[in-house]
Amino acid sequence: MFKTSYPESEILERIKVVADRINKDMEGKNPIFLAVLNGSFIFAADLMRMLTIPCEISFVKLASYQGTMSTGKIKEVIGINEDLTGRTVIIVEDIVESGLTMKRMIDSLGTRNPESIHICTLLLKPEKLKVKLDIEYTVMEIPNDFIVGYGLDYDQQGRNLRDIYTLVED
């Protein structure tokens, strides 16, 4: 059973606030957004349409989930083909929980000599963080619940739902 936690209209309003901050902070730059698949594809699309600065987007795929539980094993599935030397990189993630996936990605990107790396996440579960991260752009902080919709899945289902739903225990 799932209940609606965040309707699409509220999600889009909050993304607009973050997009406006990015537009201001990145003025005069040409950042490359690295959207982490599969979960961030809807968020990344909506965010990109709200940006007014020159920018690029690419996609990377990491895997660490199975069902509702993290496997704890993070493996890069699709890498980055772009030259990141001297670039401003903004990672676009659907959700940051433990932060381990994000930390691994930042460490990996750091070897490619970017000028700077920034994190933009749709959702953050602050009480689940296991590593210290500087997350500059957070659309929403949420409790430690299992959620689905707006790109997030339950065993690959529910990504197409417009709203974000929370799993409700029976």
Side-chain angles (χ1 to χ4, degrees), residues 74-76 99-109:
I74 302 156
K75 69 176 191 169
E76 191 165 340
L100 296 172
T101 301
M102 188 58 58
K103 173 100 173 71
R104 169 143 191 251
M105 189 166 174
I106 289 168
D107 291 346
S108 175
L109 292 175

Side-chain angles (χ1 to χ4, degrees), residues 18-78:
V18 168
D20 289 347
R21 281 189 47 225
I22 293 171
N23 285 328
K24 184 174 179 255
D25 293 351
M26 298 295 156
E27 190 174 344
K29 299 181 188 266
N30 179 23
I32 182 165
F33 289 81
L34 294 179
V36 181
L37 295 174
N38 289 343
S40 75
F41 77 105
I42 291 176
F43 170 45
D46 286 341
L47 177 67
M48 291 299 289
R49 286 189 295 243
M50 295 179 190
L51 295 174
T52 57
I53 55 169
C55 59
E56 298 170 32
I57 189 166
S58 189
F59 298 88
V60 6
K61 187 168 182 177
L62 305 170
S64 67
Y65 261 82
Q66 198 164 25
T68 61
M69 299 296 294
S70 174
T71 63
K73 295 178 184 159
I74 302 156
K75 69 176 191 169
E76 191 165 340
V77 180
I78 299 172

Side-chain angles (χ1 to χ4, degrees):
M1 296 285 298
F2 289 90
K3 69 170 180 152
T4 305
S5 295
Y6 304 98
E8 180 185 36
S9 59
E10 181 181 341
I11 298 166
L12 292 173
E13 284 174 20
R14 291 182 184 211
I15 292 172
K16 179 76 170 101
V17 171
V18 168
D20 289 347
R21 281 189 47 225
I22 293 171
N23 285 328
K24 184 174 179 255
D25 293 351
M26 298 295 156
E27 190 174 344
K29 299 181 188 266
N30 179 23
I32 182 165
F33 289 81
L34 294 179
V36 181
L37 295 174
N38 289 343
S40 75
F41 77 105
I42 291 176
F43 170 45
D46 286 341
L47 177 67
M48 291 299 289
R49 286 189 295 243
M50 295 179 190
L51 295 174
T52 57
I53 55 169
C55 59
E56 298 170 32
I57 189 166
S58 189
F59 298 88
V60 6
K61 187 168 182 177
L62 305 170
S64 67
Y65 261 82
Q66 198 164 25
T68 61
M69 299 296 294
S70 174
T71 63
K73 295 178 184 159
I74 302 156
K75 69 176 191 169
E76 191 165 340
V77 180
I78 299 172
I80 301 148
N81 299 322
E82 289 74 17
D83 180 7
L84 301 181
T85 305
R87 297 291 308 268
T88 298
V89 174
I90 301 176
I91 301 168
V92 180
E93 180 67 289
D94 59 349
I95 186 166
V96 175
E97 293 185 68
S98 70
L100 296 172
T101 301
M102 188 58 58
K103 173 100 173 71
R104 169 143 191 251
M105 189 166 174
I106 289 168
D107 291 346
S108 175
L109 292 175
T111 66
R112 296 169 179 264
N113 303 314
E115 177 191 321
S116 59
I117 300 172
H118 308 268
I119 302 169
C120 178
T121 186
L122 174 66
L123 304 168
L124 172 65
K125 291 184 177 180
E127 62 193 59
K128 291 251 337 198
L129 276 175
K130 293 182 179 175
V131 293
K132 186 168 172 31
L133 291 172
D134 179 17
I135 304 174
E136 292 172 74
Y137 306 106
T138 300
V139 175
M140 291 185 272
E141 289 188 6
I142 64 168
N144 188 24
D145 297 325
F146 186 80
I147 52 163
V148 66
Y150 196 77
L152 294 100
D153 73 303
Y154 176 75
D155 281 337
Q156 298 303 321
Q157 297 296 308
R159 291 189 194 278
N160 59 316
L161 300 170
R162 293 180 169 272
D163 304 321
I164 293 176
Y165 298 85
T166 301
L167 180 66
V168 179
E169 299 294 328
D170 284 341

